[in-house]
Amino acid sequence: MNLKPNCFVLFLVAIFFLMGNCTNYSTTASVQAPPTLISITNNGNSNFTIKVRAQNPEFIFQGYRLYQAATESLAQNPTDTNLGTDCILAQAAIVQPVEYTFEVDPSTNANTVGVSCRIFATLTPGSYISMRTLGLAVNLQNSTSSYRVSLPSNALIVP
């Protein structure tokens, strides 16, 4: 009698049983680390380059949201955190801090070589910008999902 196939079937039954009866999951949302803005450069023609240092080790990481306002406080703490401009990055298992290069441009041109993501927005010189990390939030009770934003980054003045 060969016990290996029987043990494998028993193992699968145990896994399905445990998965079906598991009710101990966390309802606390995961907290994403905010990015650090390093610099912003005006490239001309309403085109800006932003250097960002960030660490995004979690699988729920989706990208970043850029905010612009007249004051540093409003850029970091907008009245509605859904009103920023998103940059969704390709999923990657990043554990170490990474330096990203973002291009902010209102045109629909393709990314410049070396740019991590293009943010389709218009920045106003003299205004302030900040960013937040986007994480995927899934509500298991009603099967909906949305983005959850991190705390704000530092703010920079648009040159």
Side-chain angles (χ1 to χ4, degrees):
M1 178 179 198
N2 190 351
L3 292 179
K4 286 185 181 180
N6 293 338
C7 289
F8 182 71
V9 170
L10 183 60
F11 174 74
L12 287 178
V13 169
I15 292 296
F16 287 123
F17 176 76
L18 290 174
M19 286 175 42
N21 292 317
C22 181
T23 58
N24 298 326
Y25 56 87
S26 174
T27 57
T28 304
S30 175
V31 177
Q32 294 286 313
T36 301
L37 303 182
I38 305 294
S39 67
I40 181 169
T41 306
N42 187 338
N43 301 327
N45 298 329
S46 301
N47 183 304
F48 294 86
T49 300
I50 302 173
K51 297 278 187 182
V52 176
R53 188 90 168 144
Q55 180 174 341
N56 307 296
E58 299 182 23
F59 70 94
I60 63 171
F61 166 74
Q62 299 296 301
Y64 297 96
R65 184 169 286 160
L66 176 71
Y67 299 93
Q68 177 180 214
T71 67
E72 180 178 6
S73 179
L74 285 174
Q76 291 180 310
N77 303 298
T79 55
D80 184 354
T81 57
N82 294 315
L83 296 179
T85 307
D86 295 346
C87 174
I88 307 302
L89 293 170
Q91 192 68 22
I94 299 170
V95 177
Q96 298 300 316
V98 174
E99 186 170 297
Y100 291 109
T101 301
F102 295 105
E103 203 164 45
V104 182
D105 190 347
S107 73
T108 56
N109 296 336
N111 285 354
T112 306
V113 174
V115 170
S116 304
C117 190
R118 180 179 287 268
I119 300 173
F120 301 106
T122 301
L123 295 181
T124 305
S127 63
Y128 290 81
I129 60 165
S130 75
M131 295 181 98
R132 292 176 184 244
T133 302
L134 294 175
L136 186 62
V138 178
N139 185 333
L140 298 175
Q141 292 176 339
N142 62 12
S143 300
T144 60
S145 64
S146 62
Y147 289 131
R148 178 170 168 81
V149 295
S150 70
L151 293 172
S153 71
N154 57 314
L156 295 177
I157 299 174
V158 178

